[in-house]
């Protein structure tokens, strides 16, 4: 994910359309793990991410101006927040169920709070520290499940991706004078070729994968580029620009729910009771961070 948090607006009650948009964002992002998991079985994950951002760039770049004053910083942010992060996360997804990966990815929020405390001068209160601790206990519980413990490298890759995402958000927060749509479009423009180069360096069989890819792969590419990224972030930026972030952020807690349900319904996945308990702890910890004030 790539989020920008603009200044908070006045406290308001969410309208029905805003609630529906919040659920739609969680569904778009959660189901993205399901589509990606389905495609990764046939396609190198980093190459898949490259195609994803090519699609996003082609969809959005025509509607924004070239941010000439920010191109250097956007290129660095794209390298960290997209190329490195998505390479780690979706390579890790290859060895995990979509639902389990989506639950682990929720560590993005605790990592963001930690980075804010260490490097941005932010001061988390007791609620956030309790949420961070609960979320990490939950991931420890998930990682201890037998079917996941055997894929510990994949777990570490997804956790590392969550940490890199948080680093990228700290960098994005320092951008001034640029709107969210422009950031999304131009990060996609820069991340797509970066990811392609990364795939050529770290993966093999790209041409065979492209020529042999079936409809599942190309539907996943279209979904990831158009629905998960372009539409998902379009809705998200609309929400956070007309509502306090504290009111809309809790909708993100629905993300792993949609990923788990999608994995069960469309991929035939099943989660053990240990993973479900760990997932509940992770979501509860993130909820402590996102909901309410210290």
């Amino acid at each position: 994910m790539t989020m920008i948090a603009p200044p908070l607006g006045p406290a308001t009650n969410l309208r029905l359309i805003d609630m529906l948009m919040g659920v739609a964002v969680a569904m778009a992002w959660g189901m993205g793990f399901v589509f990606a998991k389905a495609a990764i079985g046939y396609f190198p994950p980093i190459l898949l991410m490259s195609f994803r951002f090519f699609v996003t760039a082609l969809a959005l770049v025509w509607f924004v101006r070239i941010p000439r004053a920010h191109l250097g910083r956007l290129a660095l942010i794209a390298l960290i927040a997209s190329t490195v992060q998505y390479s780690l996360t979706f390579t890790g997804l290859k060895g995990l169920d979509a639902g389990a990966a989506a639950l682990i990815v929720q560590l993005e929020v605790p990592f963001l709070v930690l980075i804010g405390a260490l490097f941005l001068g932010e001061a988390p209160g007791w609620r956030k520290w309790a949420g961070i601790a609960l979320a990490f206990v939950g991931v420890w519980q998930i990682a201890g499940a037998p079917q996941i413990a055997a894929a510990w490298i994949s777990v570490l890759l997804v956790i590392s991706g969550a940490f890199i995402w948080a680093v990228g958000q700290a960098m994005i927060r320092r951008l001034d004078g640029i709107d969210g749509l422009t950031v999304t479009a131009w990060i996609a423009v820069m991340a797509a070729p970066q990811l392609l180069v990364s795939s050529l360096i770290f993966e093999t069989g790209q041409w065979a994968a492209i020529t042999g890819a079936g409809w599942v792969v190309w539907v996943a590419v279209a979904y990831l580029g158009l629905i998960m990224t372009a539409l998902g972030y379009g809705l998200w930026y609309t929400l956070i620009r007309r509502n306090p972030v504290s009111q809309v952020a809790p909708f993100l807690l629905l993300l792993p729910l949609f990923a788990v349900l999608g994995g069960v319904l469309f991929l035939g996945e099943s989660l053990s009771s240990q993973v479900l308990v760990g997932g509940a702890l992770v979501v509860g910890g993130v909820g402590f961070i996102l909901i309410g004030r210290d």
Side-chain angles (χ1 to χ4, degrees), residues 216-234:
V216 170
V217 172
W218 302 119
V219 168
V221 168
Y223 183 93
L224 294 171
L226 298 176
I227 306 301
M228 187 179 187
T229 307
L231 177 61
Y233 285 109

Side-chain angles (χ1 to χ4, degrees), residues 23 34 90 104 177 219:
V23 174
V34 178
F90 285 86
I104 297 171
V219 168

Side-chain angles (χ1 to χ4, degrees), residues 158-175:
V158 175
I159 292 174
S160 299
F163 174 76
I164 296 299
W165 176 87
V167 172
Q169 297 313 293
M171 297 173 67
I172 289 174
R173 282 185 175 185
R174 295 181 178 274
L175 286 175

Side-chain angles (χ1 to χ4, degrees), residues 254-267:
L254 296 174
L255 188 156
L257 174 63
F258 286 115
V260 169
L261 291 177
V264 171
L265 293 175
F266 301 111
L267 303 177

Side-chain angles (χ1 to χ4, degrees), residues 30-41 45 48-49 86-102 105 151 153-155 157-158 224 259 267 269:
M31 288 299 296
F33 282 89
V34 178
F35 278 89
K37 179 64 178 181
I40 285 172
L48 180 68
M49 292 299 103
Y86 286 111
S87 295
L88 292 169
T89 300
F90 285 86
T91 300
L93 174 62
K94 188 173 183 178
L96 297 171
D97 286 348
V105 160
I153 293 178
S154 295
V155 173
L157 287 172
V158 175
L224 294 171
L267 303 177
E269 296 178 353

Side-chain angles (χ1 to χ4, degrees), residues 272-293:
S272 67
S273 58
Q274 183 172 348
V275 173
L276 290 174
V277 170
L281 292 174
V282 172
V283 172
V286 173
F288 251 63
I289 295 170
L290 294 178
I291 299 173
R293 298 182 181 273

